[in-house]
């Protein structure tokens, strides 16, 4: 436990020293919303469209925060450690290299929660949006969204042959998922098949369930189930294919 706490402290310091990661978590989500003119939208796609702009915007901002950590920061960091043989060196010490993975997930999770709080506060004051109305459902949707997206990020880290590959695969997956979530085109304006895929995609389901809880409604159970199943499948596959060197 002492080794894990030390690894977490080291990983946290490294994270805080990296301007790009801090930008992804604390600045880019709100910036993207403002740049693409999302505050002027009256509706959004999928289930979130039923709640309108008031809940879609903050839900999208929170999903962006989680998604960038999961698909950008986490795979790249683990890819760098594999390339530099950090994981292999740890295997020759009393410290289990798996603890480094745990430390990475813990640090990114904490930063994700911090980024979500900053994003929610920013949305509240910059966009004048209310706080989440259904708090228990909001927490459930947030945790399932984190589990789902982090599982996808760990799978990328497991399969990517290098840090450069992980740095490419993450964004290549993130931006199509962002499109399917309705960031640029409302899902009710997409072809039916594409909209349906977006409803159950990792970012789309995260946005919709967060938006529903924010509005005071109960998130759709099929979407919550999709997040849970993706989290389990992604974690199992990441464990199966992860390479220490």
């Amino acid at each position: 436990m002492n080794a894990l706490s030390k690894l977490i402290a080291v990983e946290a310091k490294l994270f805080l020293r990296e301007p790009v990661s801090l930008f992804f978590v604390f600045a880019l989500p709100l910036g993207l919303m403002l740049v693409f003119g999302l505050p002027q939208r009256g509706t959004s796609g999928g289930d979130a469209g039923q709640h309108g702009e008031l809940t879609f915007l903050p839900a999208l901002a929170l999903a962006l925060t989680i998604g960038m950590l999961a698909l950008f920061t986490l795979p790249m960091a683990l890819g760098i450690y594999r390339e530099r043989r950090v994981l292999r060196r740890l295997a020759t010490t009393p410290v289990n290299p798996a603890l480094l993975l745990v430390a990475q997930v813990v640090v990114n999770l904490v930063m994700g929660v911090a980024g979500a709080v900053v994003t929610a506060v920013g949305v509240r004051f910059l966009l004048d949006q209310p706080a989440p109305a259904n708090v228990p459902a909001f927490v459930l949707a947030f945790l399932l969204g984190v589990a789902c997206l982090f599982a996808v990020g760990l799978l990328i880290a497991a399969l990517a042959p290098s840090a450069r590959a992980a740095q490419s695969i993450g964004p290549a997956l993130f931006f199509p998922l962002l499109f399917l979530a309705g960031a640029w085109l409302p899902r009710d304006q997409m072809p039916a098949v594409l909209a349906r895929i977006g409803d159950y995609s990792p970012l789309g389901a995260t946005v919709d369930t967060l938006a529903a809880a924010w509005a005071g409604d109960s998130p759709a159970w099929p979407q919550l189930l999709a997040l849970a199943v993706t989290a389990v499948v992604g974690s199992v596959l990441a464990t199966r294919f992860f390479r220490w060197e």
Side-chain angles (χ1 to χ4, degrees), residues 24-75:
F24 281 160
V25 176
F26 297 109
L28 192 54
L30 283 177
L32 282 175
M33 289 174 56
L34 298 175
V35 166
F36 288 106
L38 291 176
Q40 280 72 47
R41 292 176 54 168
T43 58
S44 63
D47 287 346
Q50 299 173 7
H51 311 296
E53 174 189 18
L54 290 179
T55 56
F56 179 79
L57 295 178
L60 179 63
L62 294 180
L64 282 172
T65 301
I66 303 168
M68 287 176 182
L69 275 173
L71 303 183
F72 286 61
T73 305
L74 185 60

Side-chain angles (χ1 to χ4, degrees), residues 120-144:
V121 172
V123 167
R124 174 68 183 89
F125 289 101
L126 293 178
L127 304 179
D128 194 26
Q129 307 297 346
N134 188 344
V135 176
F138 180 82
V139 171
L140 175 62
F142 181 81
L143 292 178
L144 285 176

Side-chain angles (χ1 to χ4, degrees), residues 144-155:
L144 285 176
V146 167
C148 172
L149 289 163
F150 272 41
V152 174
L154 287 172
L155 182 57

Side-chain angles (χ1 to χ4, degrees), residues 35-240:
V35 166
F36 288 106
L38 291 176
Q40 280 72 47
R41 292 176 54 168
T43 58
S44 63
D47 287 346
Q50 299 173 7
H51 311 296
E53 174 189 18
L54 290 179
T55 56
F56 179 79
L57 295 178
L60 179 63
L62 294 180
L64 282 172
T65 301
I66 303 168
M68 287 176 182
L69 275 173
L71 303 183
F72 286 61
T73 305
L74 185 60
M76 185 172 62
L78 293 177
I80 290 173
Y81 284 153
R82 184 187 293 118
E83 272 191 357
R84 296 178 179 175
R85 299 183 181 274
V86 173
L87 300 177
R88 183 179 182 182
R89 292 193 191 102
L90 279 178
T92 64
T93 71
V95 178
N96 190 327
L99 291 180
L100 184 59
L101 271 68
V102 176
Q104 270 285 321
V105 171
V106 169
V107 169
N108 279 276
L109 176 59
V110 171
M111 293 302 169
V113 172
V117 171
V118 170
T119 299
V121 172
V123 167
R124 174 68 183 89
F125 289 101
L126 293 178
L127 304 179
D128 194 26
Q129 307 297 346
N134 188 344
V135 176
F138 180 82
V139 171
L140 175 62
F142 181 81
L143 292 178
L144 285 176
V146 167
C148 172
L149 289 163
F150 272 41
V152 174
L154 287 172
L155 182 57
I156 293 173
L159 297 176
S162 66
R164 184 181 296 274
Q167 195 173 8
S168 301
I169 295 171
L173 179 61
F174 175 77
F175 288 106
L177 289 177
L178 191 59
F179 170 78
L180 290 172
W184 294 293
L185 178 67
R187 263 173 278 154
D188 55 13
Q189 296 180 19
M190 295 179 183
V193 174
L194 196 60
R196 194 65 173 171
I197 293 173
D199 289 343
Y200 295 97
S201 66
L203 274 179
T206 299
V207 170
D208 285 355
T209 53
L210 287 173
W214 205 299
D217 297 331
S218 296
W221 282 107
Q223 289 181 307
L224 292 175
L225 182 60
L227 291 174
V229 169
T230 303
V232 172
V233 172
S235 299
V236 170
L237 292 177
T239 301
R240 168 67 178 82

